């Protein structure tokens, strides 16, 4: 057997010779063939993967830490699904808010279609292949057609090592939203500030049926030693929509890689995100939206706010295929640099194979507006608070796209806590409603 | 209240103010008039603490404190208020949010209790209505897309909410229609008390018909060329600034 790219693939060779094991080994072979992206990889140009390869991660053991880190919950009625290091924990979950037709299954012991996990299909992204090889658990949530608007689902990824060794977890999340149903999910990554490093390599696969709507949110608040990679693969049906908003706050190396196929006429994708980073945080947002059918629209709005030595990159992609006439695709990234050593990169890109389209993209890099800062201070607002207000205004533009409700408030609170003005999130919502 | 002594200010090495003296006492209203580019806004900005100005000589005391050593927010909390000639647009910051932060910063400084979001909305709406500022405007981002007159009304609302001891109005009348001028002047006069002072910068006598000043100064070429009482503007209106700007040798 050829030498593995990453040591934690070795265990696969010992698995019994069944279909699942074969599929997992196929994932491993794909990963080995693709290799870890190197410095010359376009996709990982900005990512610092030595934070991954430089740490001896072990497969996450079955047992959870004695004490789990806590997490804030959204206001209002919602269901809770908890994964600890990639393992679904029904005992910590609460599904009572979900109506009868909605099903939730842990993937480890699910038979049939998603039994035991393996194919994370689609493109040949190395970390998708790695998840295919190593995912052994996760959760599938299925909303039947005609369910209307459901209560929010708070899907908590707890990343916390039980011992002293750094661990790797490979959660899989499957979201099926049938037609005429609206589901709002918040995938929320929480870690232990002082624990060993955790490598989370999550894959979320989503399918949205005709006239269905999936509002997908991510709040990634891992500690600085964490490596957190979140792949999303979504397929959107006729007149259906996939809205995604990812908020990355500090953390070590964090990446979201969101690929959406607008596969039927009239499908819509809004893929938005913000990074709030300081110190040595590094956050990438990678997107690829494929317009495969006519009359599709996609909008991407990304903001990076960076202080200290933090770095962020937005690598946006839009592909308009031959049949996708009347496509409307917009991408923009704006960065606000709060220190001299912070760095941002923005690289929107377009591949168009149809002439009848409207596409736009923009990328800006700026600093705090001195005149605005003076205006606020001239009214008695202290300099730090004045800066925070201007930063919040910049970043909130992303959260303003999120539908009002408990999920948005929770995300706003997290952002405003980073800005050291926690009470302001409540005010913003209250004043908005007044 | 405010004592300016032989104040010299330069911008990028060019002297803009060359020796301003002014003594503004509590209860008084002084007006400053003068040609374009004579340094009126420079004076106002230096008093409020804007950066980019080099004080090359002289000094300023405000309530007996050294004003120029204070940060802009400290000046504001101590009761100095500048109504900007060109209010700044701040996209993304809702006007109410901004006003609430400002009012609470000043209240904290005075040892008063802070107002909560709902209480503040009520207060701002009430004071706004008196100045012709509707609720929708308060929800919009600060000054963003406001008309010239709307910006000036918002400056006046801020003054009404912050209740400053010293208000410096830099051409608050310009851009206002006739009715708004009256409304804004009423707002200013409502704040006129024995323990407050005002410095009103304007080009027009009309405003001074509503806000009758105790003293009027003419600033030209970075210096106060002439001072007089409330009748000086009428004289200037007839004669213009020519004699002051190019004094006969
Ligand atoms: N930042 C700056 N850089 C260069 N020159 C400046 C700057 N600020 C002011 N000045 C110059 O200083 C002079 C005084 O400007 P100021 O704005 O104080 O005039 P003003 O009396 O308020 O005029 P107006 O009546 O038109 O408002 C002008 O010649 C102006 O161009
Ligand atoms: Mg001026």
């Amino acid at each position: 057997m050829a030498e593995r790219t990453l040591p934690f693939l070795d265990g696969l060779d010992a698995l019994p010779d069944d279909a699942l094991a074969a599929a997992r080994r196929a994932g491993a072979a794909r990963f080995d063939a693709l290799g870890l992206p190197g410095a010359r990889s376009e996709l990982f140009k900005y990512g610092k993967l030595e934070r991954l390869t430089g740490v001896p991660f072990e497969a996450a053991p079955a047992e959870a830490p004695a004490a789990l880190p806590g997490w804030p919950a959204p206001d209002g009625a919602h269901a809770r699904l908890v994964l600890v290091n990639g393992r679904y924990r029904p005992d910590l979950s609460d599904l009572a808010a979900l109506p009868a037709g909605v099903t939730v299954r842990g993937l480890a012991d699910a038979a049939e279609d998603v039994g035991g996990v393996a194919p994370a299909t689609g493109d040949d992204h190395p970390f998708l292949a790695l998840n295919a090889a190593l995912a052994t658990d996760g959760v599938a949530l299925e909303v039947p057609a005609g369910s209307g608007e459901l209560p929010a689902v708070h899907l908590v990824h707890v990343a916390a090592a039980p011992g002293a060794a750094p661990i790797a977890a490979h959660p899989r999340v499957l979201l099926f939203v049938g037609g005429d149903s609206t589901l709002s999910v918040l995938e929320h990554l929480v870690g232990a500030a002082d624990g060993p490093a955790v490598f989370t390599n999550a894959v979320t696969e989503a399918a949205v049926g005709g006239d269905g709507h999936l509002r997908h949110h991510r709040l990634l608040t891992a500690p600085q030693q964490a490596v957190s990679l979140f792949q999303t693969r979504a397929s959107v049906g006729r007149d259906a929509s996939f809205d995604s908003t990812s908020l990355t706050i500090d953390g070590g190396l964090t990446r979201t890689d969101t690929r959406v196929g607008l596969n039927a006429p009239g499908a819509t994708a809004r893929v938005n995100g913000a990074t709030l980073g300081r110190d040595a945080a590094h956050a990438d947002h990678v997107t690829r939206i494929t317009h495969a059918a006519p009359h599709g629209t996609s909008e991407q709005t990304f903001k990076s706010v960076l202080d200290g030595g933090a770095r962020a990159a937005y690598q946006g992609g839009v592909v308009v295929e031959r049949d996708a006439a009347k496509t409307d695709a917009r991408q923009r990234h704006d960065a606000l640099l709060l220190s001299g050593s912070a760095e941002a990169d923005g690289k929107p890109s377009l591949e168009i194979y149809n002439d009848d389209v409207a596409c736009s993209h923009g990328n800006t890099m700026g600093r705090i507006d001195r005149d605005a800062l003076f205006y606020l201070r001239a009214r008695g607002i202290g300099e730090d608070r004045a800066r925070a207000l201007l930063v919040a205004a910049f970043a909130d533009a992303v959260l303003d796209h999120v539908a009002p409700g408990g999920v948005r408030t929770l995300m706003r609170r997290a952002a405003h806590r980073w800005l050291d003005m926690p009470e302001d999130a409540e005010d913003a919502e209250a004043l908005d409603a007044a | 209240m405010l004592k300016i002594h032989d104040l010299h200010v330069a911008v990028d090495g060019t002297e803009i103010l060359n020796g301003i003296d002014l003594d503004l006492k509590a209860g008084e209203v002084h007006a400053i008039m003068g040609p374009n580019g004579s340094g009126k806004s420079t004076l106002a900005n230096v008093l409020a603490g804007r950066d980019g100005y080099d004080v090359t000589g002289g000094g300023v005391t405000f309530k007996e404190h050294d004003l120029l050593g204070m940060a802009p927010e400290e000046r504001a909390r101590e009761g100095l208020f500048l109504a900007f000639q060109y209010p700044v647009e701040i996209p993304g910051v809702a006007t109410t949010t901004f006003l609430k932060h400002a009012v609470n910063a000043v209240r904290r400084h005075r040892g008063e209790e802070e107002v909560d979001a709902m209480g503040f909305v009520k207060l701002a709406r009430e004071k706004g209505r008196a100045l012709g500022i509707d609720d929708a405007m308060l929800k919009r981002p600060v000054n963003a897309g406001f008309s010239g007159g709307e910006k000036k009304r918002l400056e006046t609302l801020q003054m009404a909410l912050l209740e400053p001891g010293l208000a410096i109005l830099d051409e608050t009348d310009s851009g206002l229609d006739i009715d708004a001028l009256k409304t804004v002047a009423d707002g200013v006069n409502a704040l006129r008390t024995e323990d407050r002072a005002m410095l009103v910068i304007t080009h027009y006598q009309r405003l001074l018909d509503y806000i009758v000043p105790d003293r009027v100064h003419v600033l030209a070429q970075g210096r106060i060329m002439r001072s007089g009482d409330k009748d000086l503007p009428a004289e200037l209106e007839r004669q213009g600034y020519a004699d002051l700007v190019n004094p006969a040798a």
Side-chain angles (χ1 to χ4, degrees):
Chain A
M1 179 66 42
E3 202 180 315
R4 299 289 189 192
T5 319
L6 287 176
F8 37 80
L9 286 173
D10 288 343
L12 288 178
D13 299 333
L15 290 179
D17 233 349
D18 60 20
L20 175 62
R24 293 182 61 192
R25 279 194 281 261
R30 254 189 350 266
F31 178 76
D32 283 338
L34 292 162
L36 258 185
R40 300 235 303 280
S41 152
E42 188 56 30
L43 194 59
F44 280 82
K45 200 157 121 188
Y46 306 107
K48 291 193 173 119
L49 278 181
E50 62 272 18
R51 293 197 193 178
L52 171 61
T53 51
V55 179
F57 289 106
E58 295 173 3
E63 86 265 21
L68 293 178
W71 58 81
D75 298 338
H78 66 275
R80 181 176 64 245
L81 300 179
V82 180
L83 301 180
V84 178
N85 301 325
R87 288 186 166 78
Y88 177 49
R89 292 283 301 268
D91 57 316
L92 300 175
S93 303
D94 181 355
L95 309 177
L98 293 175
V102 176
T103 58
V104 172
R105 289 177 290 171
L107 294 181
D109 43 28
E112 314 141 38
D113 52 331
V114 293
V117 275
T121 48
D123 49 274
D124 53 0
H125 190 290
F127 289 104
L128 205 62
L130 188 67
N131 183 280
L134 297 175
T136 53
D137 201 352
V139 70
L141 192 144
E142 197 161 349
V143 177
S147 296
E149 180 152 1
L150 297 161
V153 174
H154 189 205
L155 201 170
V156 187
H157 291 274
V158 182
I167 58 163
H170 306 269
R172 180 80 56 82
V173 174
L174 305 176
L175 304 171
F176 303 102
V177 180
D180 298 306
S181 306
T182 299
L183 176 68
S184 172
V185 176
L186 171 65
E187 286 194 62
H188 188 173
L189 174 68
V190 296
D194 307 316
V198 179
F199 169 37
T200 303
N201 179 40
V203 170
T204 298
E205 294 177 275
V208 191
D211 289 305
H213 304 282
L214 174 56
R215 300 183 187 137
H216 181 244
H217 315 84
R218 278 213 175 93
L219 175 56
L220 305 178
T221 56
Q224 53 162 20
Q225 65 276 25
V227 176
S228 316
L229 310 183
F230 281 82
Q231 311 285 328
T232 309
R233 298 295 180 266
S235 138
V236 189
R238 179 181 275 271
D239 296 322
S241 67
F242 174 72
D243 279 13
S244 152
T245 305
S246 298
L247 174 59
T248 302
I249 299 183
D250 291 332
L253 170 61
T254 310
R255 273 174 82 90
T256 70
D257 186 321
T258 304
R259 303 185 183 202
V260 185
L262 299 179
N263 297 326
T268 300
R270 278 180 222 94
V271 179
N272 301 327
T275 295
L276 303 175
R278 51 170 75 94
D279 302 329
H282 182 121
D284 293 343
H285 290 290
V286 181
T287 69
R288 189 179 174 88
I289 301 189
T290 304
H291 287 261
H295 294 283
T297 53
S298 68
E299 271 174 52
Q300 304 184 43
T301 306
F302 283 81
K303 306 266 186 188
S304 304
V305 179
L306 303 171
D307 204 351
R311 286 200 67 164
Y314 163 70
Q315 283 179 277
V318 168
V319 181
V320 181
E321 292 185 349
R322 271 238 299 251
D323 294 338
K326 310 282 181 204
T327 285
D328 190 336
R330 305 183 186 280
Q331 310 176 61
R332 75 165 303 112
H333 169 250
D334 302 288
L336 181 61
L337 303 178
L338 303 177
S339 79
S341 47
E343 263 184 78
D345 294 284
K347 202 168 151 282
S349 73
L350 267 174
E351 261 177 69
I352 308 182
Y353 302 100
N354 185 304
D355 294 334
D356 186 13
V357 299
C359 295
S360 69
H361 59 83
N363 180 48
T364 65
M365 214 83 59
R367 295 189 182 275
I368 290 280
D369 179 348
R370 295 168 70 92
D371 290 335
L373 188 63
F374 174 65
Y375 191 75
L376 297 174
R377 294 177 70 190
R379 298 298 179 246
I381 302 171
E383 184 173 1
D384 288 348
R385 179 52 58 95
R387 277 178 194 282
L389 277 170
L390 295 174
V391 173
F394 178 85
D396 271 350
V398 167
L399 295 182
D400 287 344
H401 288 286
V402 176
V407 168
R408 182 172 79 174
T409 308
L410 181 65
M411 294 175 84
R412 229 195 262 286
R413 275 182 201 141
H416 286 236
R417 202 175 314 113
W418 186 84
L419 290 164
D420 205 22
M421 44 178 205
E423 79 289 356
D424 235 57
E426 319 301 319
D427 276 13
E429 300 288 341
L431 295 175
D432 204 43
Chain B
M1 171 81 68
L2 181 75
K3 284 203 178 83
I4 305 177
H5 170 65
D6 194 28
L7 183 67
H8 290 254
V9 172
V11 174
D12 294 333
T14 309
E15 186 127 295
I16 310 277
L17 300 180
N18 35 56
I20 303 272
D21 288 284
L22 193 88
D23 187 0
L24 178 60
K25 296 191 168 59
E28 290 184 344
V29 173
H30 288 205
I32 295 186
M33 304 183 78
N36 294 130
S38 57
K40 303 180 298 296
S41 293
T42 301
L43 176 63
N45 285 331
V46 168
L47 294 176
R50 195 168 199 150
D51 56 14
Y53 300 91
D54 301 318
V55 175
T56 51
V60 182
T61 60
F62 173 53
K63 297 183 186 165
E64 320 286 311
H65 299 296
D66 171 24
L67 182 72
L68 301 178
M70 295 160 74
E73 57 268 36
E74 293 171 26
R75 302 178 195 203
R77 292 171 194 167
E78 281 295 330
L80 185 148
F81 179 90
L82 168 64
F84 285 56
Q85 181 175 3
Y86 303 111
V88 181
E89 301 199 3
I90 311 183
V93 178
T95 301
T96 325
T97 305
F98 157 63
L99 294 174
K100 175 174 169 282
H101 277 281
V103 165
N104 279 335
V106 171
R107 281 178 164 255
R108 260 196 312 276
H109 181 76
R110 291 179 186 155
E112 296 167 7
E113 205 172 316
E114 296 186 28
V115 279
D116 66 14
M118 286 304 117
F120 183 75
V121 167
K122 261 184 75 179
L123 180 71
R125 282 182 178 168
E126 199 178 286
K127 297 221 173 196
R129 236 165 262 148
L131 290 162
I133 294 173
D134 63 21
D135 300 357
M137 233 170 99
L138 292 173
K139 280 196 172 190
R140 283 163 59 187
V142 180
N143 289 318
F146 284 28
S147 76
E150 287 170 345
K151 287 178 182 169
K152 296 306 171 84
R153 288 172 201 239
L154 184 61
E155 293 294 292
T156 315
L157 172 61
Q158 294 174 45
M159 183 174 69
L161 286 167
L162 294 172
E163 303 179 326
L166 169 63
I168 303 166
L169 310 183
D170 191 355
E171 296 198 27
T172 302
D173 51 336
S174 62
L176 290 178
D177 63 46
I178 299 162
D179 295 336
L181 183 69
K182 177 97 175 56
T183 311
V184 166
D186 287 345
V188 172
N189 283 329
L191 279 177
R192 218 172 151 169
T193 59
E194 278 305 299
D195 50 359
R196 293 207 174 94
M198 290 183 194
L199 197 56
V200 181
I201 298 170
T202 182
H203 287 293
Y204 305 107
Q205 191 188 343
R206 185 191 296 276
L207 179 69
L208 302 179
D209 290 341
Y210 291 118
I211 307 171
V212 181
D214 299 293
R215 298 286 292 164
V216 178
H217 311 280
V218 179
L219 188 63
Q221 295 164 329
R223 212 175 267 160
I224 291 179
M225 293 294 199
R226 193 166 162 197
S227 297
D229 63 11
K230 65 176 174 27
D231 297 324
L232 182 57
E235 186 184 324
L236 294 169
E237 201 105 332
R238 284 195 303 275
Q239 299 179 353
Y241 293 119
D243 291 350
L244 293 164
V245 177
N246 303 304

